């Protein structure tokens, strides 16, 4: 140790550094002892099914905070027999007054005592009520969740406030400089016309006044049943969570009366393909003094597969390989610089503002799409560039780009699963849809096994489906749907040539 101090003084005062490699231990420094997790059982997910059908899933993670929540197999895809927008309303009404708590403020004050926060998010197929708080307050948290999910009061003034919030959100959706959420809505509507995941996620303006307490209760009676729910927790002992679930959720009587999952919409997503266009003046969508140039946004998608199929992993790798992004992004252009949409599209065609690949996957279908934006005069050329990229997906993937995409996907997966709320959502969603959970190392193993042949196979299969197209902005130069379809079934992805007599 004395040597260590002497050496430190000598070198920190600017003396010559010895030529020691960084991997050689320093003399005089004790050998480090690292904390380790014994075996796998410490991070595996434990699952228990209660007598009423409710699943309890947990993962132990160390620390004084936990994330606990209830996930319900209910979302906008289940609204076929109801006016669209119920899931949107329920998301906004979450954590309002309940049988135990007089108002949202009371709930927030109760959580505050345990350093907690709450949130509710609805997607097309899942509704998630979540709370992050100190482990000590677990009993209060589960009691509060049970109350918020099964005993909401849905008072008239709360429903009125929700109507205002929904209207505001719909206005905001159309005014945003980033048209991403709107395009995602449009492409789902085009791909699954009038069924399941194609039903609107946001409440349509005409339906805002139609939704009332009776209708919400009728919906909740069908979908909020114990066998369609999972109580998931991360950062707690499994037995403790099961005990709380038995106490607050086993015999809990919902405010809408006992429910059986009788009236549930079990329809399977029917991929139709098609086009949805929205002519819109994009010249005034700008924040601040430097106006965003007027752009036309196009999204083209093809049917991929459900997340329950084996091909889901090759599709995820393919999506990573396409990558892309905006040509102006935080930190400058340069994230994902080796993905195809950067190398082949943004680097070669400086006039394109965006080219990004997205993969949406559900339990019975999926959609791989590319969003691109450019000046309205160059829409035709932009569409052709995107259709060419789709055709090239079925070519041979280079060894280097495939390895890079796989590594990137694994690192993204692992980095996201460093966060407790993300682990919570992963545990909850997997147990809700499959009854079990694949652990990260199993997923990494599956990603490693993806070959160039797999990519070629899934891309070829995908190209057989009809395209789904969403177009937003000035659409004067937009090719017809038939032409886009012809380009996607051709060898090189080129649009049919058009000859005009009068230019």
């Amino acid at each position: 140790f004395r040597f260590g101090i002497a050496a430190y003084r000598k070198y920190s005062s600017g003396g010559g550094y010895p030529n020691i490699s960084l991997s050689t231990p320093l003399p005089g420094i004790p050998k480090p002892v690292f904390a380790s997790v014994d075996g796998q059982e410490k991070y595996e997910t434990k699952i228990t099914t209660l007598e009423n059908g409710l699943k309890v899933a947990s993962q132990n993670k160390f620390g004084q905070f936990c994330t606990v929540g209830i996930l319900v197999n209910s979302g906008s895809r289940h609204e076929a027999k109801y006016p669209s927008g119920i899931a949107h309303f329920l998301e906004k009404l979450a954590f309002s007054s309940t049988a135990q708590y007089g108002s949202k403020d009371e709930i927030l004050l109760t959580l505050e005592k345990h350093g907690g926060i709450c949130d509710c998010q609805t997607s097309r197929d899942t509704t998630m009520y979540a709370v992050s708080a100190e482990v000590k307050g677990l009993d209060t948290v589960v009691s509060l969740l049970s109350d918020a999910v099964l005993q909401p009061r849905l008072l008239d003034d709360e429903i009125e406030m929700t109507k205002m919030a929904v209207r505001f959100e719909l206005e905001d959706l159309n005014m945003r400089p980033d048209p991403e959420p709107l395009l995602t809505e449009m492409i789902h509507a085009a791909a699954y016309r009038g069924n399941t995941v194609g039903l609107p996620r946001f409440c349509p303006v005409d339906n805002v006044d139609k939704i009332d307490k009776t209708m919400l209760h009728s919906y909740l009676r069908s979908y909020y049943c114990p066998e369609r729910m999972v109580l998931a927790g991360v950062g707690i002992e499994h037995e403790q969570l099961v005990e709380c679930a038995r106490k607050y959720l086993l015999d809990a009587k919902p405010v809408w009366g006992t429910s059986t999952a009788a009236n549930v919409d079990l329809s399977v997503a029917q991929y139709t393909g098609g086009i949805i266009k929205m002519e819109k003046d994009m010249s005034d969508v700008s924040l601040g003094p430097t106006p965003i140039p007027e752009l036309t946004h196009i999204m083209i998608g093809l049917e991929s597969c459900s997340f329950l199929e084996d091909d889901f992993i090759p599709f995820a790798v393919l999506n990573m390989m396409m990558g892309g992004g905006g040509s102006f992004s935080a930190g400058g252009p340069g994230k994902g610089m080796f993905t195809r949409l950067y190398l082949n599209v943004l680097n070669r065609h400086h006039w394109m503002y965006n080219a990004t690949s997205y993969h949406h996957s559900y339990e019975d279908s999926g959609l791989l799409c590319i969003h691109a934006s450019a000046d309205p005069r160059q829409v035709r050329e932009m569409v052709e560039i995107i259709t060419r990229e789709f055709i090239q997906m079925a070519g041979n993937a280079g060894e280097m780009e495939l390895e890079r995409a796989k590594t990137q996907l694994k690192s993204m997966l692992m980095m996201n699963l460093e966060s407790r709320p993300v682990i919570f959502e992963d545990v909850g969603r997997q147990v809700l849809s499959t009854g079990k959970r694949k652990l990260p190392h199993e997923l990494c193993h599956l990603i490693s096994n993806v070959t160039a042949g797999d990519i070629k196979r899934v891309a070829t299969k995908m190209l057989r489906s009809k395209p789904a197209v969403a177009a937003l902005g000035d659409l004067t130069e937009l090719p017809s749907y038939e032409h886009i379809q012809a380009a996607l079934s051709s060898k090189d992805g080129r649009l049919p040539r058009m000859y005009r007599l009068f230019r």
Side-chain angles (χ1 to χ4, degrees), residues 237-254:
E237 293 293 338
H238 187 68
E239 288 68 34
Q240 207 183 343
L241 188 63
V242 172
E243 198 183 310
C244 288
R246 285 188 182 283
K247 192 167 159 189
Y248 296 112
L249 289 159
L250 186 56
D251 301 315
K253 294 280 177 282

Side-chain angles (χ1 to χ4, degrees), residues 146-306:
S146 165
D147 225 39
V149 176
L150 301 173
Q151 303 277 333
R153 285 191 189 160
L154 307 179
L155 302 172
D156 290 347
D157 56 343
E158 288 172 349
I159 290 178
E160 282 310 311
M161 286 295 285
T162 301
K163 286 180 178 177
M164 279 168 58
V166 167
R167 282 199 186 95
F168 176 76
E169 198 168 329
L170 293 173
E171 277 175 33
D172 179 55
L173 195 66
N174 286 311
M175 311 236 319
R176 265 188 212 177
D178 170 29
E180 192 53 51
L182 195 56
L183 278 166
T184 306
E185 272 292 278
M186 289 164 69
I187 196 140
H188 275 83
Y192 304 92
R193 201 168 278 273
N195 75 87
T196 57
V197 290
L199 297 173
R201 194 173 93 66
F202 298 102
C203 179
V205 181
D206 308 346
N207 289 358
V208 176
D209 286 322
K210 290 181 191 167
I211 296 173
D212 58 13
K213 186 173 177 173
T214 319
M215 192 179 289
L216 292 170
H217 273 184
S218 155
Y219 179 86
L220 291 164
R221 198 172 293 120
S222 298
Y223 290 98
Y224 277 43
C225 325
E227 57 270 36
R228 295 179 68 83
M229 291 183 187
V230 169
L231 172 70
V234 174
I236 39 192
E237 293 293 338
H238 187 68
E239 288 68 34
Q240 207 183 343
L241 188 63
V242 172
E243 198 183 310
C244 288
R246 285 188 182 283
K247 192 167 159 189
Y248 296 112
L249 289 159
L250 186 56
D251 301 315
K253 294 280 177 282
V255 68
W256 47 85
T258 47
S259 52
T260 52
N263 206 10
V264 170
D265 178 30
L266 295 172
S267 44
V268 175
Q270 300 298 314
Y271 181 86
T272 58
I275 185 165
I276 287 192
K277 298 190 269 195
M278 194 193 247
E279 285 276 356
K280 192 173 170 205
D281 179 13
M282 304 288 271
S283 54
D284 58 349
V285 180
S286 133
L287 291 170
T290 48
I292 296 171
E294 186 185 342
L295 299 175
T296 294
H297 298 268
I298 305 289
M299 209 180 242
I300 299 176
L302 293 166
E303 187 179 19
S304 59
C305 73
S306 111

